[in-house]
């Protein structure tokens, strides 16, 4: 016991000495490694990691125009507003011509560039998995000592609520039924309304709501999070391009990238909000006999946008986070009730079989381009979905980046790709499986889907107990999904148009929340669902090119970070080894001196 007490002070001294050596060596190694890597010049925003930036230190918003309750980047904001104003005015002045033009544009874009969307989506999923499972996966967002700001449960809730909320409500019954009645041409030989058609319908639905869209989100979100929290750049899309463009991100090319991001975000959101308000209108028609008309939908957009504005004013922590958690709780209860009172065994068996069929056919589904057929099925389905997700990616990516600090690249990518994908599959299996079971059992849901897909969910509810309660709950869910998407999107557009500032004025947030509602209303007035699809595809096309460059820029940025971290780790291992050697030599010398005496 006495001997143990005698050695404790010596052990403590050794540990203190080693800690001091490691701290000194880490700083020296990091300075040396950063000087040896490619030079980095950027705008600094209170970075959480040591950057040793050789560039001029500035704050986001230094070039902003401030006044009348606004604090905005003039080039990005005014260019975006002008484009939106021209679009709104022309659509309202030439509504009939706009409807015809959008249909022609939809067909031409999907026929000409469908292959590009298909190929791009596969590049994004391969890149995301490579980042996660390769050496870059160990890098931590915010630096090696950063800690997550939200629990995993809250994080997952915000991911799913922002990522696909309204779409899951709108298409969970309608899409499986569409594919059941008229299977994808890829499954040649399968006739509609057969067991084989049901299996193919669920696989295609899984494909459209599975790994590919969440891979797209993960690429954009990872780029934003890394360059903001590890490099101290503004939280804008242009920042991701610094390894490629250098200081030119602060000029014309950076402004162009952010303008495209704003337009893509607003159109992607407007598409979702247009679908959501159509479904709310259908639910109110079913429950209270309120007519389905553009006038009613405009009123609904105004009311729901007002609620979204209140949430935007409250901010991320108070408004968006609480609404997201509330929404996921309501959605979970709603799904659980349908699972219990519906065809439970059919749903669970269908989920298992559909998952296997989806994974088996995933390569063909991912690369099928309809080349050898004189059809354009994908224009209204896969191409539309990929363009929709891509146009949503600045909004969802920035929102995910805001709430994902402290996660490693591996945890980030796998969390964003796998958990929401699995939950989406379960959701689609519960509602889509219930619809297929009812249809095969003699209940005619097909007529409702063909007449107005927005009514499909409410038609299905007629076959379950407590129909009015379920229908009302569905309306509430769509409204809250609407609000969470709108307020999250407003915060994102606000960051983009304020030069990356995270504390822009309240009037500015309100302006963009209202603008989202206006764009959604104009798209509905200009031709309904077809116009929404066309808007998503035409804005998604140029942004697909932006995303492909993001993959390369992100690879360069992460590789530079990994180089520094590995150089530091190598130096620290050498310091530890040398320390132990020095201690052993000193101890041996002491023993020798003791023996000599």
């Amino acid at each position: 016991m006495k001997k143990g007490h005698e050695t404790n002070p010596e052990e403590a001294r050794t540990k203190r000495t080693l800690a001091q050596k490691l701290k000194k060596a880490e700083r020296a190694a990091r300075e040396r490694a950063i000087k040896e890597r490619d030079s980095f010049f950027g705008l600094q925003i209170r970075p959480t990691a040591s950057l040793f930036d050789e560039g001029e230190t500035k704050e986001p918003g230094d070039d902003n125009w401030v006044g009348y309750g606004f604090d905005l980047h003039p080039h990005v904001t005014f260019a975006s507003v002008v484009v939106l104003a021209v679009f709104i005015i022309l659509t309202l002045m030439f509504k009939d011509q706009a409807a015809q033009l959008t249909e022609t544009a939809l067909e031409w874009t999907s026929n000409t560039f469908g292959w590009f969307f298909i190929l791009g989506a596969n590049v994004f999923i391969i890149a995301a998995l490579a980042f996660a499972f390769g050496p870059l996966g160990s890098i931590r967002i915010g630096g090696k000592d950063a800690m997550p700001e939200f629990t995993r449960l809250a994080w997952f809730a915000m991911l799913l609520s922002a990522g696909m909320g309204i779409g899951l409500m709108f298409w969970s019954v309608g899409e499986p039924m569409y594919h059941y009645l008229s299977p994808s041409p890829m499954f040649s030989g399968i006739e509609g309304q057969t067991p084989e058609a049901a299996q193919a319908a669920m696989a295609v639905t899984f494909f459209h709501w599975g790994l590919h869209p969440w891979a797209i989100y993960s690429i954009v979100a990872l780029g934003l999070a890394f360059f903001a929290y590890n490099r101290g750049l503004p939280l804008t899309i242009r920042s991701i391009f610094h390894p490629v463009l250098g200081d030119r991100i602060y000029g014309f090319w950076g402004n162009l990238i952010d303008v495209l991001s704003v337009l893509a975000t607003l159109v992607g959101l407007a598409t979702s909000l247009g679908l959501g308000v159509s479904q709310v209108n259908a639910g109110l028609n079913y429950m209270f006999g309120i007519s389905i008309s553009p006038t009613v939908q405009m009123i609904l957009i105004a009311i729901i946008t007002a609620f979204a504005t209140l949430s935007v004013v409250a901010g991320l922590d108070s408004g968006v986070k609480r609404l997201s958690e509330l929404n996921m709780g309501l959605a979970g209860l709603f799904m659980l009730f349908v699972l219990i009172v519906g065809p439970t065994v059919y749903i669970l068996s269908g989920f298992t079989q559909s998952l296997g069929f989806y994974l088996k056919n995933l390569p063909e589904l991912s690369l099928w381009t309809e080349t050898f057929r004189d059809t354009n099925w994908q224009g209204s389905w896969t191409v539309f979905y990929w363009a929709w997700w891509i146009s949503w990616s600045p909004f969802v990516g920035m929102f995910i980046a805001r709430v994902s600090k402290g996660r490693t690249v591996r945890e980030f990518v796998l969390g964003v790709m796998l958990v929401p994908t699995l939950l989406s599959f379960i959701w689609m299996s519960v509602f889509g499986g219930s619809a297929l079971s009812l249809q095969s059992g003699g209940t005619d849901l097909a007529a409702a889907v063909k007449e107005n897909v927005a009514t499909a969910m409410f038609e299905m509810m007629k076959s379950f107990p407590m129909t009015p309660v379920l229908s009302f709950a569905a309306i509430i869910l769509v409204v809250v999904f609407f609000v969470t998407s709108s307020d999250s999107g407003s915060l994102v557009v606000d960051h983009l148009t304020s030069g990356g500032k995270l504390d822009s004025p309240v009037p500015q947030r309100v302006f963009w929340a209202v603008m989202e509602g206006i764009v959604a209303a104009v798209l509905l007035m200009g031709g309904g669902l077809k116009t929404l699809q066309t808007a998503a595809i035409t804005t998604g096309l140029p942004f697909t090119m932006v995303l492909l460059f993001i993959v390369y820029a992100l690879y360069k940025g992460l590789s530079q970070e990994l180089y520094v971290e590995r150089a530091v780790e190598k130096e620290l291992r050498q310091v530890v080894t040398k320390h132990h050697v020095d201690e052993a030599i000193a101890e041996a010398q002491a023993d020798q001196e003791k023996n000599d005496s």
Side-chain angles (χ1 to χ4, degrees):
M1 181 69 68
K2 184 178 179 180
K3 185 178 180 180
H5 281 294
E6 288 176 352
T7 57
N8 280 339
E10 184 64 23
E11 291 178 0
R13 182 194 65 78
T14 299
K15 290 180 179 178
R16 285 196 301 271
T17 302
L18 178 58
Q20 291 170 357
K21 289 180 179 179
L22 289 174
K23 185 175 181 180
K24 182 178 179 181
E26 179 180 7
R27 180 173 181 82
R30 192 173 295 277
E31 287 179 351
R32 185 167 58 252
I34 290 177
K35 288 178 180 178
E36 291 173 356
R37 76 178 184 187
D38 293 339
S39 297
F40 172 74
F41 300 89
L43 295 173
Q44 297 300 306
I45 55 164
R46 297 173 294 279
T48 56
S50 298
L51 300 178
F52 299 97
D53 183 21
E54 298 98 1
E56 180 184 1
T57 300
K58 297 173 66 178
E59 291 283 338
D62 279 358
D63 299 324
N64 282 9
W65 175 84
V66 181
Y68 301 102
F70 288 82
D71 184 354
L72 47 86
H73 190 291
H75 299 96
V76 175
T77 304
F78 295 144
S80 301
V81 170
V82 167
V83 172
L84 288 171
V86 170
F87 165 74
I88 290 170
I89 293 170
L90 291 179
T91 303
L92 294 178
M93 289 177 61
F94 306 101
K95 282 194 291 186
D96 295 336
Q97 293 89 333
Q100 184 178 356
L101 177 63
T102 54
E103 188 167 347
T104 303
L106 175 63
E107 184 176 356
W108 181 83
T109 306
S110 58
N111 279 329
T112 307
F113 294 102
W115 65 272
F116 182 66
F117 284 108
I118 299 298
L119 189 61
N122 287 290
V123 169
F124 303 139
I125 198 170
I126 292 170
L129 293 174
F131 289 147
F133 291 106
L136 303 175
S138 61
I139 296 172
R140 185 173 296 277
I141 303 300
K144 62 186 182 66
D145 297 323
M147 298 293 291
E149 297 175 337
F150 301 97
T151 65
R152 276 200 175 90
L153 182 61
W155 186 49
F156 291 147
M158 287 188 279
L159 293 183
L160 190 63
S161 186
M164 294 181 174
I166 292 176
L168 286 173
M169 290 294 297
F170 189 88
W171 289 111
S172 58
V173 174
E175 182 171 354
M177 287 299 302
Y178 263 120
H179 301 323
Y180 176 68
L181 298 172
S182 180
S184 165
M186 194 193 91
F187 299 101
S188 58
I190 294 182
E191 296 182 1
Q193 303 190 57
T194 61
E196 293 78 13
Q199 180 174 254
M202 290 306 300
V204 172
T205 303
F206 278 14
F207 174 56
H208 289 154
W209 296 85
L211 293 172
H212 284 75
W214 287 101
I216 293 168
Y217 293 159
S218 69
I219 290 293
V220 178
L222 180 60
L224 286 165
F226 172 74
F227 283 98
Y229 296 126
N230 292 66
R231 291 291 183 86
L233 285 166
L235 196 63
T236 60
I237 300 295
R238 73 170 75 196
S239 298
I240 306 175
F241 287 83
H242 192 277
V244 178
L245 296 176
D247 287 343
R248 284 174 292 178
I249 65 169
Y250 311 130
F252 170 79
W253 291 108
N255 294 336
L256 178 61
I257 290 168
D258 279 351
V259 169
L260 287 174
S261 304
V262 170
L263 296 177
T265 301
L266 286 172
V267 171
L269 281 167
T271 301
S272 299
L273 303 185
L275 296 177
V277 79
S278 300
Q279 193 169 32
V280 172
N281 193 181
L284 294 175
N285 173 262
Y286 169 74
M287 292 192 67
F288 306 110
I290 297 174
S291 63
I292 298 177
S293 68
T295 302
V296 174
Q297 292 171 3
M298 299 306 107
I299 295 173
L300 289 173
I301 287 176
I303 294 173
I304 300 174
T305 299
F307 284 114
T309 302
L310 294 176
S311 179
V312 165
V313 171
L316 180 64
D317 290 324
S318 300
V320 180
K321 178 187 173 184
R322 291 178 182 175
L323 271 178
S324 297
E325 293 176 338
L326 170 65
N327 210 27
M328 291 309 299
L330 291 174
L333 292 174
F334 186 57
M335 182 182 70
L336 187 63
F337 183 84
V338 174
L339 175 64
I340 293 172
V341 303
T344 307
V345 175
Y346 183 95
I347 291 171
L348 297 176
S349 299
F351 166 76
T352 305
Q353 182 171 325
S354 299
L355 181 61
F357 192 74
Y358 160 73
L359 294 174
K360 173 188 173 184
N361 291 277
L362 183 58
E364 185 177 3
L365 285 166
S366 301
L367 296 169
W368 183 67
T369 58
E370 209 172 358
T371 304
F372 307 110
R373 291 178 175 273
D374 188 22
T375 56
N376 190 26
W377 179 88
Q378 284 192 315
S380 298
W381 290 106
T382 306
V383 172
F384 160 64
Y385 272 123
W386 285 184
W388 189 14
W389 304 142
I390 288 168
S391 65
W392 257 53
S393 62
F395 148 54
V396 180
M398 191 170 295
F399 185 72
I400 293 173
R402 281 288 306 274
V403 300
S404 299
K405 182 180 177 182
R407 317 257 174 208
T408 64
V409 169
R410 185 170 295 111
E411 180 187 10
F412 184 101
V413 171
L414 295 181
V416 172
M417 284 183 61
L418 298 183
V419 175
T421 292
L422 181 61
L423 292 175
S424 297
F425 286 176
I426 294 172
W427 181 278
M428 288 296 188
S429 296
V430 170
F431 291 94
S434 297
L436 292 173
S437 175
L438 291 171
Q439 181 69 29
S440 60
T443 303
D444 186 16
L445 296 178
V449 171
K450 290 178 180 178
E451 181 180 352
N452 184 357
V453 66
T455 66
M457 174 76 76
F458 303 102
E459 286 295 325
M460 189 184 76
M461 294 303 163
K462 292 181 180 179
S463 301
F464 295 143
M466 303 171 61
T467 299
V469 175
L470 280 179
S471 299
F472 183 73
I475 294 173
I476 295 298
L477 271 174
V478 174
V479 170
V480 180
F481 270 129
F482 191 134
V483 172
T484 54
S485 296
S486 181
D487 59 15
S488 304
S490 300
L491 289 172
V492 167
V493 173
D494 193 42
H495 299 330
L496 290 170
T497 55
S498 62
K501 294 189 70 171
L502 304 182
D503 54 351
S504 53
V506 170
Q508 191 164 308
R509 301 183 210 167
V510 173
F511 171 79
W512 288 115
V514 173
M515 184 61 73
E516 287 170 18
I518 292 173
V519 174
V522 169
L523 287 175
L524 280 175
M525 293 174 65
L529 181 58
K530 278 289 183 186
T531 306
L532 295 172
Q533 290 176 323
T534 304
I537 289 176
T538 52
T539 54
L541 179 60
F543 209 73
T544 304
M545 302 176 191
V546 173
L547 260 65
L548 290 172
F549 280 107
I550 284 177
V551 171
Y552 174 67
L554 183 56
Y555 169 75
K556 286 196 67 175
L558 290 172
S559 296
Q560 290 175 356
E561 188 84 359
L562 183 64
Y563 172 81
V564 172
E565 294 304 321
R566 282 182 168 177
V568 172
E569 289 175 6
K570 181 179 178 181
E571 181 71 19
L572 294 183
R573 284 196 299 268
Q574 291 175 349
V575 170
V576 171
T577 301
K578 186 177 184 301
H579 172 79
H580 289 319
V581 171
D582 291 344
E583 288 292 321
I585 293 173
E587 186 176 346
Q589 289 176 343
D591 290 342
Q592 182 64 40
E593 291 174 359
K594 183 177 180 181
N595 291 333
D596 291 342
S597 62

